[in-house]
Amino acid sequence: MINRELLEPRSIVVIGGSNNVHKPGGAVVRNILQGGYSGTLRVVNPKETEVQGIKVFRDARELPPTELAVLVIPAKLCADTVELLARDKQTRAFIIISAGFGEETHEGALMERRIVELCEQYGASLIGPNCIGLLNRHHHSVFTQPIPKLDPKGADFISGSGATAVFILESAVIKGLQFNSVWSIGNGKQIGIEDVLQHMDEHFDAERDSRVKLLYIENIANPDKLLFHAASLIRKGCRIAAIKAGSSKSGSRAASSHTGAIASSDSAVEALFRKAGIVRCHSREELTTVGCIFTLPPLTGRRFAIVTHAGGPGVMLTDALSKGGLEVPKLEGPAAEELKQELLPGSSVANPIDILATGTPKLLGLAIDYCEKRFDDIDAIAVIYGTPGLTTLYEAYDVLHQKMLECRKPIFPILPSLYTAGSEVADFLEKGHVNFSDEVTLATALSQIMRTPAPAPLEVQLYGINIPRLNSIIYGIKENGYVDPKTVRSLLECAGIPMVPEMVSDNKDQLADFAQHVGYPVVAKVVGPVHKSDVGGVTLNIRTPEHLALEFGRMMQIPGAQGVMVQKMLKGTELFIGAKYEERFGHVVLCGLGGIFVEVLKDVQSGLAPLSYGEAYSMIHSLRGYKIIKGTRGQKGLNEQKYAEIIVRLSTLLRFATEIKEIDINPLLADDHNVVAVDARILIEK
């Protein structure tokens, strides 16, 4: 629970506050004082009479009623102190900086549990333990630096790691990113990242609250809550970016040794973020760069003009934007010729617009004006402007400042001279702007934002799904494991997924009659072994009854063979759909091109069931091999609509069949008319 006493306390006590600002207890007191806290600040320290100008209480029992307590004392003393304050001093919010709890030992976990129970008993909020504190515009109850510039429209930042929060703040401050609040949840035993998002969502005020949320996550304890409230905030006009660390096995081990976090598979995280509309980042620099982009007017298109006085960075930015799916269109025509005449001889206006190293602030403003008013096929402007150390840049950055206030199109300032023009850049940031000192990092972040879809709709697509029959089939399965081909076919029929004609039998004559009926050529596959190809259990392009009889005899000799499946042989491009049940997340659905694209290139995209048609199309379009689906080099494209429909139908089936733990449909054969499932395997665990 998050209450007023935590967010806007009228009184704060620092238990363990001191005069030594190089230790957490002293640093917390210093930061609260320097932050201009307007309430009553108290300190408890049995060894001091005065701490940083504040009269000290020797014992917490001497305190008057106090709303918020910040504990910076040994872990073994925390539970008794919480009980005393909550019971006798009406304290209803606690921030426990101290470490040595569940992240270290079993005994620490028991102490932690007692603290949580006490807070629940007395209706108190708890941040921590094992955190750096809470920073907002009312109180700076943290022991760390830097303290960023706070603004109601700045970013809300929530971190599962205190040290990482500090490093992210360092990265943000030098870019000019401002903050509204910083939450370090530590072990998060009462208030986790999902709970902070829930509070922000349920109390969101479009007039007063920040619309930028940045997250550093090590443990997604409640994926459903994170999904619901993140998507809700985004629908209300917020923008959210997040790092999820600890998705790899090694990262999981590191996270577990750090805060006891539970890692989730990377595909599950990717699917969750896609469904919520969260921009996924993988580094501190990327997260803070995305946060800075969020503070600028949103992009309405993909077409960039680059204004620069340094050719190389302009080229690198052009390459990076193009690689990320953004455009740097050639500028030509009368307006381009007019601009060229206004610039210095040797300047280029083709895009990038290179005003040369000798280009003046006036020419910089002129180039921006043309991009804003004369070039209609431009949606945004990137400005690269530094110095070789020969001139000061105050005038140039004043021009840039004015243009950013005036222009309708977003302007992305890339000011790389942080050493030779440090004071000029600092003056520019002081006016409320952000700076992207590296053009490639900016382009990467922009591309990631543009690739992130809007939150998925809440409703489930039920059309065409036979749920009663699905439940009946699942109920009738008595043993766990991979189900037989007949059951696979029945389950896929429940979702209306088209399948190639087939027959399974251990009778050679029956299979021969079936092959004659559907027409040669046919395919034969052994039934029994899970990995048919690995045991030589697949033969393609069988054109005669004699060849079919030969293959039948051979396959029935394979260990574990229970029969042979014969299918009509179809032609087309191989596609793939699969899904795996992830604990706490539900089914993660994967799609991609089949064959080598799955097995070698790992070109797959993930989504969290159930999926909407918009999500399915987003997954398909995000594949590196999408051009093959769309059609390339004169070849017809595949039936993308049918492929998306099968993805949606399968995801809905899985929503009502959690007993299905794994499913692979590989391959589906697709052409410009149809998409048909050729082979599938399904693992059931009840």
Side-chain angles (χ1 to χ4, degrees):
M1 59 171 291
I2 296 174
N3 55 22
R4 179 197 59 77
E5 290 85 351
L6 178 66
L7 299 176
E8 301 177 23
R10 299 186 182 100
S11 54
I12 301 175
V13 60
V14 180
I15 309 292
S18 72
N19 285 304
N20 188 345
V21 297
H22 300 294
K23 291 186 176 180
V28 170
V29 176
R30 175 201 63 199
N31 288 342
I32 294 174
L33 289 172
Q34 291 182 354
Y37 174 61
S38 59
T40 302
L41 178 60
R42 304 181 176 113
V43 176
V44 172
N45 188 323
K47 299 178 182 179
E48 301 280 0
T49 57
E50 185 178 283
V51 166
Q52 300 181 48
I54 301 173
K55 183 181 177 181
V56 170
F57 294 87
R58 295 295 186 93
D59 193 300
R61 284 173 289 205
E62 301 172 2
L63 285 167
T66 306
E67 292 190 343
L68 167 65
V70 183
L71 274 57
V72 199
I73 54 178
K76 62 184 179 181
L77 303 178
C78 286
D80 288 343
T81 303
V82 168
E83 183 172 22
L84 169 69
L85 293 173
R87 182 189 65 220
D88 299 341
K89 307 301 177 182
Q90 291 77 56
T91 304
R92 293 298 177 261
F94 294 90
I95 298 173
I96 301 182
I97 305 292
S98 315
F101 290 90
E103 79 280 1
E104 290 190 8
T105 64
H106 176 67
E107 291 75 13
L110 295 177
M111 292 189 295
E112 195 172 57
R113 186 183 308 166
R114 183 185 169 208
I115 290 171
V116 173
E117 290 172 350
L118 286 166
C119 288
E120 297 295 333
Q121 177 183 345
Y122 289 98
S125 294
L126 171 65
I127 295 290
N130 184 29
C131 68
I132 65 170
L134 172 63
L135 169 69
N136 64 24
R137 289 179 289 112
H138 298 280
H139 64 103
H140 298 182
S141 296
V142 295
F143 71 88
T144 55
Q145 297 281 353
I147 303 294
K149 189 172 182 179
L150 297 177
D151 185 273
K153 301 304 180 183
D156 290 312
F157 173 39
I158 314 165
S159 177
S161 164
T164 306
V166 171
F167 299 150
I168 289 173
L169 289 174
E170 290 270 7
S171 172
V173 166
I174 62 173
K175 294 181 177 69
L177 181 60
Q178 299 179 5
F179 288 83
N180 177 55
S181 67
V182 177
W183 299 69
S184 163
I185 63 157
N187 292 358
K189 291 303 178 181
Q190 187 205 58
I191 297 174
I193 290 176
E194 300 93 331
D195 302 295
V196 179
L197 281 178
Q198 178 181 3
H199 180 84
M200 291 178 176
D201 179 26
E202 293 176 348
H203 296 83
F204 183 72
D205 185 327
E207 297 298 321
R208 297 188 303 111
D209 291 348
S210 167
R211 293 176 180 268
V212 178
K213 318 292 180 188
L214 305 180
L215 315 175
Y216 172 79
I217 307 171
E218 288 182 349
N219 173 32
I220 302 179
N222 191 328
D224 285 342
K225 181 184 281 191
L226 178 66
L227 169 63
F228 181 86
H229 292 293
S232 176
L233 281 165
I234 293 170
R235 290 190 188 99
K236 292 173 181 176
C238 294
R239 309 176 81 182
I240 303 179
I243 296 172
K244 170 61 178 79
S247 293
S248 67
K249 288 185 178 179
S250 298
S252 170
R253 183 184 66 251
S256 296
S257 63
H258 178 206
T259 60
I262 304 170
S264 48
S265 80
D266 196 62
S267 59
V269 172
E270 193 75 33
L272 176 66
F273 283 13
R274 179 192 295 275
K275 198 173 193 70
I278 297 171
V279 177
R280 188 175 188 188
C281 302
H282 295 87
S283 71
R284 301 191 304 270
E285 282 298 302
E286 190 177 355
L287 181 68
T288 54
T289 300
V290 170
C292 288
I293 294 171
F294 282 169
T295 67
L296 298 175
L299 282 171
T300 57
R302 296 176 174 268
R303 302 166 299 181
F304 272 76
I306 301 171
V307 179
T308 179
H309 68 167
V315 174
M316 288 191 287
L317 180 56
T318 301
D319 287 343
L321 289 171
S322 300
K323 183 179 179 182
L326 300 168
E327 301 172 23
V328 184
K330 184 177 181 180
L331 299 175
E332 51 190 351
E337 289 301 319
E338 287 177 25
L339 175 59
K340 187 174 178 64
Q341 294 303 316
E342 297 273 4
L343 299 177
L344 297 174
S347 299
S348 171
V349 297
N351 202 12
I353 300 170
D354 188 348
I355 64 174
L356 304 181
T358 50
T360 64
K362 181 180 178 181
L363 295 178
L364 171 64
L366 180 68
I368 294 173
D369 283 342
Y370 267 76
C371 294
E372 167 72 9
K373 301 172 184 176
R374 302 292 302 278
F375 298 140
D376 294 333
D377 57 347
I378 292 300
D379 304 305
I381 308 161
V383 175
I384 306 173
Y385 207 98
T387 176
L390 301 175
T391 59
T392 59
L393 295 178
Y394 288 107
E395 185 181 352
Y397 290 172
D398 278 343
V399 169
L400 183 56
H401 163 66
Q402 290 299 326
K403 297 303 177 186
M404 291 184 71
L405 295 179
E406 297 169 3
C407 289
R408 175 182 52 84
K409 298 174 182 177
I411 297 176
F412 297 86
I414 302 166
L415 316 180
S417 302
L418 301 180
Y419 179 74
T420 53
S423 58
E424 294 99 313
V425 173
D427 180 70
F428 178 79
L429 299 182
E430 196 62 32
K431 294 172 181 175
H433 298 300
V434 294
N435 172 37
F436 308 94
S437 60
D438 182 79
E439 58 278 346
V440 175
T441 303
L442 168 62
T444 302
L446 282 166
S447 302
Q448 189 68 356
I449 291 171
M450 296 299 284
R451 281 196 296 266
T452 302
L458 298 175
E459 63 273 9
V460 179
Q461 306 280 345
L462 291 177
Y463 177 75
I465 308 298
N466 191 336
I467 297 173
R469 187 184 177 205
L470 169 66
N471 292 334
S472 175
I473 295 169
I474 295 291
Y475 180 78
I477 298 173
K478 301 304 181 184
E479 295 183 2
N480 290 343
Y482 287 98
V483 299
D484 60 80
K486 181 180 178 181
T487 305
V488 169
R489 195 172 187 88
S490 297
L491 288 169
L492 295 185
E493 284 175 350
C494 291
I497 296 175
M499 290 164 285
V500 64
E502 68 180 30
M503 170 178 275
V504 176
S505 177
D506 58 2
N507 185 296
K508 179 173 62 175
D509 294 334
Q510 286 183 346
L511 293 175
D513 290 342
F514 174 78
Q516 196 68 42
H517 174 71
V518 298
Y520 288 95
V522 296
V523 178
K525 303 176 183 179
V526 67
V527 175
V530 174
H531 300 287
K532 304 175 182 66
S533 297
D534 294 349
V535 295
V538 178
T539 302
L540 307 177
N541 204 28
I542 298 174
R543 294 183 170 274
T544 65
E546 293 77 16
H547 188 187
L548 177 59
L550 182 67
E551 291 299 334
F552 174 86
R554 182 184 67 81
M555 289 183 184
M556 291 301 292
Q557 300 302 313
I558 294 174
Q562 300 168 4
V564 173
M565 174 192 294
V566 172
Q567 296 175 327
K568 174 67 178 174
M569 184 166 176
L570 303 178
K571 292 183 178 180
T573 300
E574 291 188 352
L575 301 175
F576 158 81
I577 302 176
K580 183 179 180 182
Y581 185 82
E582 290 282 349
E583 201 65 39
R584 296 177 296 135
F585 285 79
H587 284 97
V588 178
V589 180
L590 305 173
C591 77
L593 294 166
I596 189 173
F597 291 94
V598 173
E599 297 171 7
V600 179
L601 302 182
K602 310 295 183 186
D603 183 16
V604 296
Q605 290 293 323
S606 59
L608 201 60
L611 296 167
S612 66
Y613 279 94
E615 289 178 277
Y617 281 118
S618 175
M619 292 164 63
I620 295 168
H621 294 168
S622 298
L623 293 167
R624 295 195 302 274
Y626 173 63
K627 288 184 178 179
I628 296 174
I629 295 175
K630 187 177 180 181
T632 186
R633 295 201 173 188
Q635 294 188 354
K636 290 183 178 180
L638 308 182
N639 193 323
E640 188 177 323
Q641 180 180 346
K642 287 282 188 184
Y643 189 29
E645 181 181 336
I646 292 173
I647 294 172
V648 171
R649 285 175 174 272
L650 178 66
S651 77
T652 306
L653 176 86
L654 296 171
R655 169 68 176 79
F656 295 96
T658 56
E659 298 87 353
I660 297 178
K661 301 306 180 187
E662 288 184 24
I663 179 169
D664 283 331
I665 307 178
N666 189 18
L668 294 101
L669 287 179
D671 56 24
D672 57 325
H673 296 295
N674 296 309
V675 180
V676 180
V678 173
D679 200 3
R681 58 176 184 164
I682 297 176
L683 175 65
I684 297 285
E685 290 181 5
K686 300 178 96 172

